[in-house]
Structure formats: structure tokens, C-alpha cells
Amino acid sequence: MNLRQSVFCAILSAISVSGFAQEHKFTRADTLRGSITPERAWWDLTYYHLKVKPNAQDSTLSGSTTIIYKVLQPNQRIQVDLQQPLLISKVIQDGESLEFKRDGNAFFIDLKKKQETGKAESIEVFYSGKPRLAKNPPWDGGVQWIPDGQGNTIISTSCQGLGSSVWWPCKDHMYDEPDSMQISITVPQKMTDISNGKLLSVVENGDNTRTFNWVVKNPINNYGVNMNVANYVSWDETYKGEKGDLPVSYYVLPKNLDKAKEHFKQVPMMLKAFEHWFGPYPFYEDGYKLVEVPYLGMEHQSSVTYGNEYKMGYRGRDLSNTGWGLKWDFIIIHESGHEWFANNITYKDVADMWVHESFTNYSENLYTEYYFGKKAGSEYVIGTRKLIENKAPIVGIYGVNQEGSKDMYYKGGNMLHTIRQVVNDDEKWRQILRGLNKTFYHQTVDGSQIEAYVSKESGKDLTKVFDQYLRDTRIPVLEYSFGGKGLQYRWTNVVAGFEMPVRVQIGAGKEEFIYPTSEWKTIKVKSEKRLTVDPNFYVEARESKTS
């Protein structure tokens, strides 16, 4: 956590910002989940091998996680997370059983072997139990066990925010990702598991089960790991992308095969648009998969899940009410956009979830622009403003696994659209988006790093712009008046030091930039006393009779 984050966290803890901070009572469990504890800080996660056997008969899981890590500094206690009611049964290091103690959803394991700086070590954590059922996935996640009507059970996982420790033991904090991973899921003979990465092998076990071994060759965030078990049918294609041939695979239920083959033609279109805006797809080595599931969908890395009922828009609705949102399938576009912003560039702390959701919300209007024109893209993002609530800040509270308000979606997208107008150079803006994905390739980041990068590469100090839209609930108001001196204007309803330029039209003249501050400024104008603010800026305008 940097100094700025620490100060903001302290401020939010002490005062009420639209009641946001005072509404939350944080516990020791929140800190154990959301902070980089001493038992996490001393080791660097490098590799997982996750082995899971789901049992649909009693909705239980059993298995183990092998955790390989590098010792950063000596310590003899390690934290591994696993949420109740799942239980760890034993932990092994170098063939020896280790003692461990549970504290809520955290397990503290005492290591016998001396941990030496720079050494690579490993433990294997064995567990079992009945995991939390997903109540309203993906928002309130866990594990789903859904009858498919053919005598089988569809098994799906979703756990953003809740954490992957809801179904497997891991280092459940976003700051540290494994460099690579193997996922081995054992299922009944006639069932198929689809997880992340590429399929290494399918092993027939001789007991009417088979094990699917998936290999992830890139760093992966914990909630991006998934298990999808069903009687899938599939097909493959190759996308000719910026980095060469990208394997693309689709997995759907047999009854939906024909319509899926038609509907999923949007995937290559998505890849083309997003490689244009954001740079190469970040996981060529792991491929891209779209997997049908019994919930709406989720951005599981290289294994995007889909449940939008093969409809355009969001379950058949246009969130912008402009018509443009019905030109494409919301889940295919939005969840795939997360491959760049969430899976490639990943927040360290969920308080900075806007890095995932604001950019990916904005990707919706960039996709619209790519295929239907700049005006269409602008109309789409402007149309989503009616969904902004402005009740709480977009940035959450650090160190306690607390995300900010849902305005991170539509307000965040409009913030980025506004910043694009300030940059006022579309190609420079595109290179900033591509540069983000190149500079922070496969990294976890603080939100402040993203803010600083955009400011630096745009050549404009956007510090106060980010503060206004991310950390304040007010919409900037351009106050203006016409008088004997001409047009007078200033920003009100803003954070101290807010000085964002804005494009306006005065009378019937050409559009031009003015440069308001919180102090009144004056410019001479012709006799026509009318001011119109470019609607691409997420601001309000109010004429004042006095100045």
C-alpha cells in the first residue's frame, strides 16, 4: 500500500463519504483476507497444482493444492486460505506432516524445515468438504450443482470478490499470482471438465472416472481459476491475430450447438476490435475458450464463461437505451474485455477494482465504435449515464477486501471517455490503452500506477480528474454567465484544484476548449449568449445570473 492509499484509507475510516465508510464494520477476518499479512509477505507464490474431485451425489469436493514458493525472507509460519465449511485435513512438506491452526477462513501452518532466503520450497495442502453454494452467481458466488435434465449434474465455480478459497486452498490475495499452474479435475467418465489454459492430457482412471489436466503457462489471478463440468460438445478455430495463430475453442451443451455456432461468430470480431484498441490478446500460450455455464458469465482467464442465453445485449436488453447495445452480446464483449483489464492487468487490492471494471465497461463503447463508428460508441457510453448513482466513491477501502461502489462500471467508463476528450488525440489515446497492456503486462498493480501512467503518456496532469471521478461522488458543474464583460465561467462542485479543460460551443460558433478552474474566468464573446457543453464530457452546466 503506498502513502496515498494509506492516507485515503485513513480518511475514509474517519469520516463518512455519502455514508460509505460508516456503513462498514470491519473484522479481523476482513483484515486476514484483505491485507498482506506477515504470514503472506515473506514468500513469493510461483506455482500451483490444484487437484479436485467433485462429487455431485453429495455436493462435496476433495483434493489438494501443491503450492511452490520462493522464500523472500525467513519465516516459519505460512498463511493458506480456505473458507468454511471446507476443512484442511493435512499439510505435507518434504514428506513430513505439519501442524496448523485455523483462524476463521485462514489457516496458519507451522513449517518444520528452516526457510532460507532465495530457496524454492513447496507444501501440499489436502482438503475436503461441502463448499458454499453459489446463491446468485457470479455476484454472490461459490459452487453450483445444476441438473442438466439428462441425468447429469453441471458443476460450475464463480468467486470474484468472495475469493477462490471458497472452493480450493490458496494464497487468497490478489497481489501475488503464480507464474504458472496445473489444474487437474477428476469427473465421471461421461463428463468433461473445462478449466483454464490448454488441455495437457485426459487420464482414464479405471474407476469410471477420468482426470482432465489443464496447464496454464501465464500468471493467473486467483478468482480467474475455474472448474466447469458438464456433458460438453465443442469445436475449435484459429484466430489470426497480432501475435500469430491463437487457438480458440467453444464448449456448449449439446442442445445449444447449432445456435452457439452462429452466435459465437462474435468472438473473432471481439478479438479483432480489442487487439486494435488494447494490443495483442495477452494469453496466446493458453488460448481463448468460451464455455457455457448456468449463470450469466465471468472473466475466468483464457476460459471465459457464458450464460447470456444466446441473446444480444444484456439478456436481451440494451443497457444504454440507444439501440447500440443490441448490436452485440454483452457477455461475450464485456467478459472477454477483462482478458486485458483484470487478467492481464490485475489490481493488487480489490479497493482498486475500477481498474478492471471501468476499463472493461469502456471497452463496450470501443467495440461499438470499432464496428459502428465513433458517434455510435459515444452515444452508447453517454446512454449508460442514467445508471450512475453517485452515492459512494468508486475506490474502496484498502486492506480489508472492500471494493468501491458499482459506479466503477458506468461512471468509470464515462470517466475514461471524458479523459479521452481531454487528451483530444484519438491515436494517442489508443496508444495509451495499448501501452497500459504492454507496460503492465501480466502484472498486479495499484490503481495509482494506472492513474500516473495515463497522466504521463497523455502529457496532462490528470491527478485531480481521477480524484474527482474516483474518490468523490459529485459531478463537476460548469457554472457560467453572460454579462457586460463577456462569458464568465468556473468549476463548482469539484475537489480542490480541479482544472479540467472542457469543449464547448459558444453561440453558433465552432467548438473550442475553455480552461476553467474554481475561480471565475472571463472571455469576450459575440452578442449571441448561449453556451453548449460537449456531451462527451461527463459534467453538468449551469447558467448563473450573478458572478
Side-chain angles (χ1 to χ4, degrees):
M1 184 183 299
N2 61 31
L3 178 60
R4 186 176 181 186
Q5 292 170 341
S6 300
V7 171
F8 180 63
C9 180
I11 291 172
L12 277 184
S13 298
I15 65 173
S16 170
V17 182
S18 298
F20 182 59
Q22 291 183 356
E23 291 174 359
H24 298 87
K25 304 290 186 183
F26 295 110
T27 65
R28 172 174 169 78
D30 294 323
T31 299
L32 289 177
R33 172 77 171 83
S35 66
I36 304 173
T37 63
E39 293 82 7
R40 283 171 169 163
W42 66 270
W43 56 286
D44 175 38
L45 173 63
T46 60
Y47 182 82
Y48 283 128
H49 185 182
L50 170 62
K51 304 173 187 176
V52 183
K53 184 177 182 178
N55 186 342
Q57 301 302 314
D58 58 4
S59 302
T60 61
L61 302 176
S62 61
S64 69
T65 306
T66 297
I67 302 171
I68 299 179
Y69 61 92
K70 180 180 179 181
V71 179
L72 302 178
Q73 59 188 44
N75 198 308
Q76 294 304 124
R77 177 168 282 194
I78 189 169
Q79 178 180 339
V80 173
D81 306 290
L82 185 66
Q83 294 182 33
Q84 303 180 61
L86 293 172
L87 294 169
I88 290 177
S89 56
K90 64 178 177 178
V91 183
I92 302 293
Q93 183 167 59
D94 291 352
E96 288 194 80
S97 293
L98 305 177
E99 293 185 357
F100 54 87
K101 180 180 179 181
R102 181 165 211 162
D103 187 343
N105 292 325
F107 285 79
F108 294 95
I109 303 162
D110 292 319
L111 304 171
K112 295 178 181 179
K113 182 179 182 181
K114 184 179 180 181
Q115 306 293 297
E116 299 180 10
T117 301
K119 292 289 186 68
E121 302 288 356
S122 69
I123 58 173
E124 186 169 9
V125 182
F126 294 83
Y127 79 108
S128 63
K130 183 176 289 189
R132 167 182 169 144
L133 291 175
K135 298 174 183 177
N136 184 27
W139 302 279
D140 191 353
V143 181
Q144 284 179 286
W145 314 80
I146 306 294
D148 69 354
Q150 305 296 318
N152 308 308
T153 300
I154 300 171
I155 307 169
S156 297
T157 60
S158 56
C159 55
Q160 185 181 20
L162 180 61
S164 54
S165 59
V166 74
W167 69 280
W168 60 284
C170 60
K171 188 179 192 178
D172 205 358
H173 193 288
M174 298 291 287
Y175 87 99
D176 195 7
E177 298 180 348
D179 301 323
S180 57
M181 181 173 186
Q182 181 170 332
I183 304 165
S184 300
I185 310 295
T186 299
V187 300
Q189 189 75 36
K190 60 183 177 180
M191 302 297 278
T192 298
D193 170 68
I194 310 301
S195 291
N196 313 78
K198 287 188 176 180
L199 186 62
L200 175 67
S201 64
V202 180
V203 177
E204 303 293 336
N205 298 317
D207 60 352
N208 292 319
T209 68
R210 53 182 180 167
T211 300
F212 288 79
N213 294 299
W214 296 88
V215 174
V216 180
K217 295 184 178 180
N218 291 291
I220 184 168
N221 66 61
N222 55 13
Y223 80 81
V225 177
N226 70 343
M227 169 177 66
N228 304 289
V229 179
N231 180 26
Y232 285 117
V233 293
S234 66
W235 75 99
D236 306 306
E237 63 180 326
T238 300
Y239 177 75
K240 302 289 185 179
E242 289 194 14
K243 290 178 67 174
D245 289 349
L246 172 65
V248 177
S249 301
Y250 307 94
Y251 297 87
V252 302
L253 298 180
K255 64 182 180 180
N256 294 324
L257 179 61
D258 291 340
K259 62 183 174 183
K261 282 192 170 183
E262 180 63 30
H263 198 77
F264 287 177
K265 288 179 180 179
Q266 293 176 72
V267 168
M269 295 176 64
M270 172 276 300
L271 290 166
K272 183 177 181 181
F274 287 166
E275 285 208 331
H276 169 81
W277 286 112
F278 303 142
Y281 175 75
F283 307 107
Y284 269 73
E285 300 85 355
D286 294 325
Y288 172 95
K289 297 185 290 295
L290 192 61
V291 186
E292 184 176 0
V293 292
Y295 61 91
L296 185 60
M298 194 68 206
E299 67 258 26
H300 298 115
Q301 183 173 311
S302 75
S303 181
V304 175
T305 48
Y306 175 86
N308 200 39
E309 303 167 357
Y310 300 95
K311 295 178 179 179
M312 300 297 246
Y314 182 94
R315 289 175 166 162
R317 295 189 294 117
D318 175 12
L319 295 176
S320 73
N321 276 343
T322 63
W324 297 116
L326 292 176
K327 300 291 186 181
W328 38 269
D329 185 305
F330 177 90
I331 292 299
I332 293 175
I333 303 309
H334 180 92
E335 304 305 343
S336 299
H338 276 306
E339 293 280 50
W340 285 263
F341 292 97
N343 299 337
N344 185 36
I345 304 174
T346 308
Y347 58 67
K348 288 181 179 178
D349 191 300
V350 72
D352 282 323
M353 192 172 170
W354 71 271
V355 174
H356 295 195
E357 299 301 349
S358 296
F359 280 95
T360 305
N361 174 272
Y362 182 59
S363 77
E364 298 163 23
N365 92 292
L366 292 179
Y367 179 89
T368 305
E369 176 176 332
Y370 188 83
Y371 286 105
F372 303 103
K374 189 173 180 179
K375 183 174 182 289
S378 295
E379 288 176 354
Y380 176 83
V381 69
I382 292 169
T384 65
R385 288 178 188 170
K386 68 183 183 303
L387 300 171
I388 299 172
E389 295 182 342
N390 283 314
K391 293 180 179 178
I394 286 176
V395 173
I397 301 174
Y398 294 91
V400 288
N401 196 45
Q402 177 63 52
E403 64 188 54
S405 77
K406 298 304 180 185
D407 280 348
M408 68 179 78
Y409 293 85
Y410 309 109
K411 185 178 180 181
N414 273 280
M415 172 189 72
L416 293 171
H417 187 64
T418 297
I419 290 174
R420 177 184 182 177
Q421 314 311 312
V422 174
V423 173
N424 198 33
D425 183 327
D426 287 348
E427 183 55 26
K428 177 184 279 191
W429 181 241
R430 185 172 79 98
Q431 293 305 323
I432 288 172
L433 297 175
R434 291 174 64 94
L436 282 167
N437 279 280
K438 183 177 181 180
T439 301
F440 301 106
Y441 182 72
H442 291 175
Q443 293 183 31
T444 60
V445 301
D446 294 318
S448 59
Q449 292 176 267
I450 302 302
E451 297 172 46
Y453 181 89
V454 175
S455 283
K456 179 177 180 293
E457 296 303 315
S458 68
K460 301 178 186 296
D461 184 358
L462 299 168
T463 302
K464 296 299 182 180
V465 176
F466 282 114
D467 283 346
Q468 180 72 43
Y469 290 102
L470 294 177
R471 301 176 181 88
D472 200 279
T473 59
R474 296 171 294 172
I475 303 173
V477 173
L478 180 65
E479 187 177 9
Y480 68 95
S481 68
F482 290 94
K485 298 179 180 180
L487 170 64
Q488 295 184 286
Y489 58 90
R490 67 175 180 180
W491 286 122
T492 62
N493 218 37
V494 292
V495 299
F498 184 80
E499 297 183 355
M500 185 178 76
V502 61
R503 189 185 296 114
V504 301
Q505 183 179 21
I506 302 171
K510 294 182 178 180
E511 286 191 330
E512 60 181 291
F513 273 97
I514 57 174
Y515 299 86
T517 68
S518 57
E519 303 295 327
W520 285 105
K521 288 187 175 182
T522 304
I523 55 175
K524 293 182 179 180
V525 295
K526 296 179 180 179
S527 57
E528 193 173 3
K529 297 180 179 180
R530 186 178 75 253
L531 182 142
T532 305
V533 176
D534 184 344
N536 288 294
F537 288 77
Y538 180 46
V539 300
E540 295 179 350
R542 182 174 65 230
E543 186 170 7
S544 173
K545 299 304 180 183
T546 59
S547 60

